[in-house]
Amino acid sequence: MELLYTVDIESNEPIMLINKHIGYDDELGMGINGSSFQSELLYLDTLGKKRIQVWINSCGGVVTDGYSIYNAILKSNTPVDTYCVGIAASIAGVIFQAGRKRIMSDYGILMYHNASGGSDKGLQPINESIIKMIATRSGIDESEIANIMNAETFVDANTAVQMGFADGIESSKNANTKYAPKQDVFAFHKQCNQILNSIDKLNKEDMLKIKNKLSLAENASEDDALKAIEVIENKAKDFEAKNKVSEDKIVELQCEIDDKVKQLDALKSELDAEKEAKNKAELAEKTEKAKNMVFDYVKVGKIENKEEIITKWVNKAVENFDDTKELLDSIQLNKKAPEFENKDTVVPYNMAAIMSKINNKQN
């Protein structure tokens, strides 16, 4: 198969490049062919690679071509990580979201906007589709994605991680830096190379300084000095290799930490919801129990049948059922309880009317 987008097919972690516009453009011609990229990625997927990296620096382009690339990344059995190494705009920014891990260079930019190039009626379902693609992978609410697209929003690396558009940031500070500022071994390595280049011009005094710097005996030969320099050079190379591995590992661990944080937040939300539901159920049960008790005391005449009074006793019983019951039990009953058919229509006992009837009979 002819490979158009893959760098170093022999690598255990091949890189695929999306480094120009996506699909066909009338002025620019064919850029990244979505179907070809899809076929190539799925071919890599059959080779048993450790992972595939997709590096993106693209202004976007044709949505249908983007669909093919996005889908291939999702369907690959081999882990596919996406890297924004410049700008990932429009459909290129959507493709970035498909990665297992979504890593941005610290100078990287994402840009999202609505689809264009057709009637409003035809573009609406496409925009809705793109919104779902982004929201599903980022965890951001669809309505918020719609607002972001409507506003044609540019997102830097730090903001992208905070919002959920990216999983990690790759620092460019020490990238492609042969001699790091505080790594004396690299600085000395450079000095050694300068020495080698001018070895013939050295006088005995200079050579003695070099031997002292290399911790060699005064009678050491030039070959001894060269061997010592070679040892330092090899150590420097080993250090550089380990340092690179360490940076990659840090990014990987940061992504894992971010995943765990997301899982923890989801679990916390779930527990909070369960707790809230449990509290509501317990409150409903307490309220029902309190109402039943209060209406029992209304029946026997210890509580006046007025809504505001009943509500106060119910609330008090909800707060502390036992103390409220004890307080109501201590109230002395000095009148006959009114008779009523249900607890919602209690008729208060009218002592004045009874006394009036008694007086009339006596007269």
Side-chain angles (χ1 to χ4, degrees):
M1 178 179 183
E2 182 184 4
L3 301 179
L4 302 176
Y5 308 108
T6 303
V7 178
D8 191 6
I9 185 65
E10 301 301 327
S11 172
N12 199 32
E13 296 187 10
I15 298 168
M16 299 188 72
L17 301 179
I18 300 178
N19 54 3
K20 49 187 172 180
H21 64 283
I22 296 169
Y24 181 80
D25 180 83
D26 289 338
E27 294 183 6
L28 301 175
M30 177 56 73
I32 305 295
N33 186 302
S35 59
S36 297
F37 192 100
Q38 181 183 47
S39 299
E40 190 167 318
L41 193 155
L42 294 179
Y43 169 70
L44 293 181
D45 186 34
T46 67
L47 302 180
K49 302 295 184 180
K50 181 180 178 182
R51 69 165 177 154
I52 300 169
Q53 301 180 44
V54 176
W55 292 10
I56 305 171
N57 179 30
S58 171
C59 60
V62 181
V63 172
T64 51
D65 284 81
Y67 278 155
S68 296
I69 299 171
Y70 181 96
N71 175 264
I73 294 173
L74 292 184
K75 294 296 185 181
S76 173
N77 292 315
T78 306
V80 180
D81 297 335
T82 50
Y83 288 77
C84 175
V85 297
I87 186 167
S90 191
I91 194 63
V94 180
I95 293 170
F96 174 74
Q97 293 300 321
R100 176 193 62 159
K101 295 175 182 176
R102 303 158 301 163
I103 309 300
M104 292 185 69
S105 297
D106 51 10
Y107 54 82
I109 302 172
L110 302 177
M111 190 277 276
Y112 295 106
H113 65 171
N114 288 325
S116 60
S119 65
D120 292 341
K121 184 177 180 180
L123 291 175
Q124 183 60 29
I126 293 177
N127 284 326
E128 291 175 357
S129 173
I130 292 173
I131 289 170
K132 184 171 291 293
M133 293 165 77
I134 300 172
T136 301
R137 302 296 294 178
S138 66
I140 303 173
D141 187 75
E142 289 189 13
S143 61
E144 186 174 353
I145 297 296
N147 291 334
I148 288 171
M149 289 172 56
N150 287 333
E152 189 174 280
T153 304
F154 289 81
V155 185
D156 62 40
N158 289 325
T159 305
V161 171
Q162 292 171 6
M163 294 182 68
F165 284 125
D167 299 309
I169 300 174
E170 195 169 59
S171 173
S172 61
K173 182 177 181 180
N174 295 323
N176 200 31
T177 303
K178 191 172 184 180
Y179 308 112
K182 296 184 179 180
Q183 295 167 357
D184 291 340
V185 64
F186 290 140
F188 185 58
H189 179 205
K190 182 178 181 180
Q191 181 183 353
C192 291
N193 282 335
Q194 292 173 343
I195 293 170
L196 289 174
N197 291 334
S198 58
I199 195 76
D200 294 334
K201 300 178 182 179
L202 295 176
N203 56 38
K204 290 184 179 180
E205 185 179 350
D206 292 330
M207 198 64 197
L208 183 59
K209 290 179 181 179
I210 293 171
K211 291 176 182 179
N212 290 336
K213 188 71 175 180
L214 294 172
S215 300
L216 296 175
E218 187 174 333
N219 61 351
S221 66
E222 289 184 6
D223 287 340
D224 293 333
L226 291 173
K227 287 180 182 178
I229 292 172
E230 186 178 354
V231 170
I232 294 172
E233 186 176 22
N234 290 334
K235 287 183 178 179
K237 289 179 180 178
D238 289 343
F239 183 87
E240 189 173 5
K242 290 179 181 178
N243 191 49
K244 177 61 178 175
V245 171
S246 177
E247 286 181 3
D248 290 343
K249 189 65 176 177
I250 288 172
V251 172
E252 183 177 348
L253 289 174
Q254 185 61 53
C255 290
E256 291 180 7
I257 290 171
D258 291 342
D259 287 341
K260 294 299 181 184
V261 169
K262 288 180 181 178
Q263 293 175 16
L264 182 62
D265 289 343
L267 180 59
K268 183 180 177 182
S269 298
E270 185 178 336
L271 291 174
D272 288 344
E274 290 181 0
K275 184 177 179 181
E276 183 179 357
K278 182 180 179 182
N279 290 339
K280 286 182 178 179
E282 290 178 351
L283 179 60
E285 184 178 352
K286 286 182 179 180
T287 302
E288 184 64 23
K289 183 179 179 182
K291 284 182 178 180
N292 291 336
M293 180 188 72
V294 169
F295 279 116
D296 285 342
Y297 285 103
V298 171
K299 290 179 183 178
V300 298
K302 287 191 174 186
I303 296 176
E304 189 174 359
N305 184 32
K306 289 185 177 180
E307 183 178 352
E308 63 273 15
I309 295 176
I310 292 173
T311 300
K312 288 181 180 179
W313 280 106
V314 169
N315 292 338
K316 190 173 184 64
V318 168
E319 293 178 4
N320 193 320
F321 184 87
D322 293 335
D323 287 354
T324 304
K325 186 175 187 305
E326 184 178 348
L327 178 61
L328 288 169
D329 285 339
S330 68
I331 296 175
Q332 296 297 320
L333 182 65
N334 56 11
K335 58 184 178 181
K336 182 180 179 182
E339 296 182 357
F340 55 90
E341 293 184 357
N342 64 67
K343 60 188 178 183
D344 295 324
T345 57
V346 178
V347 179
Y349 192 73
N350 193 332
M351 182 60 74
I354 298 297
M355 293 300 299
S356 177
K357 289 182 180 179
I358 292 173
N359 290 333
N360 289 336
K361 285 183 178 180
Q362 289 177 347
N363 292 335

